[in-house]
Amino acid sequence: MNPASPLTFPIRTECPPGTCVCDRDALLASPQGDHRILRLTRSEEKKLLERLENLASLADLRRMQERLEQQLGVRLSITLSPHEVRSLRGIAILVLEQPGLCRKTRQAIPAAIRKSMDQRPEITYELLNEGGLFGGL
């Protein structure tokens, strides 16, 4: 993309100065940058978080994880603690850093997924069972 040519889709407004380290301006100036994340406007982010708060199953979570990467370039890592998992705290949900991704968004996505897991514990059980925890039960 040529820096002089405008993006053909609405983009997220910048955060107030000093509140974020997303490097939005550097991304906009980079012709080789992955601009997909800029599609996540504040209103789209609200829709995304609402959707993540209302996941129905682990398959639904995996679909959303895939769509986040395809559509926005957002990489989501969900891993289990190498020690015992006694609560949701034993499940690490991370949004990997990338230029243009707001710090608050990186925190809000895992929080929304945790809320969904709190409301539907079966998602957590399915996630634990992916590693064979409940294998023969």
Side-chain angles (χ1 to χ4, degrees):
M1 183 186 111
N2 181 346
S5 67
L7 296 174
T8 59
F9 53 85
I11 64 170
R12 184 179 187 99
T13 57
E14 61 186 315
C15 298
T19 62
C20 195
V21 291
C22 66
D23 291 330
R24 177 184 177 273
D25 294 334
L27 178 60
L28 282 169
S30 171
Q32 286 79 30
D34 185 355
H35 297 97
R36 293 179 294 172
I37 190 60
L38 297 176
R39 292 179 185 266
L40 190 62
T41 62
R42 294 193 198 289
S43 64
E44 291 298 320
E45 180 182 341
K46 284 181 184 181
K47 290 178 192 176
L48 171 64
L49 295 176
E50 184 177 314
R51 175 72 177 89
L52 289 172
E53 288 175 0
N54 294 297
L55 295 168
S57 65
L58 179 59
D60 196 15
L61 171 58
R62 294 298 186 204
R63 274 191 301 278
M64 288 299 296
Q65 187 176 5
E66 187 177 307
R67 290 184 72 199
L68 279 168
E69 186 158 0
Q70 287 175 349
Q71 294 178 3
L72 300 172
V74 172
R75 290 170 294 155
L76 183 63
S77 169
I78 302 172
T79 56
L80 304 177
S81 169
H83 308 290
E84 259 182 66
V85 175
R86 294 178 186 228
S87 70
L88 284 177
R89 291 183 188 168
I91 299 174
I93 304 170
L94 301 171
V95 176
L96 303 177
E97 283 189 48
Q98 73 183 79
L101 182 60
C102 180
R103 176 183 49 87
K104 288 183 180 181
T105 304
R106 284 187 57 231
Q107 295 169 348
I109 290 174
I113 293 171
R114 285 187 192 287
K115 184 175 180 180
S116 196
M117 289 176 153
D118 278 341
Q119 293 171 354
R120 287 170 207 80
E122 60 273 13
I123 296 172
T124 305
Y125 301 143
E126 288 179 65
L127 182 64
L128 293 170
N129 198 35
E130 270 187 340
L133 181 65
F134 303 120
L137 301 180

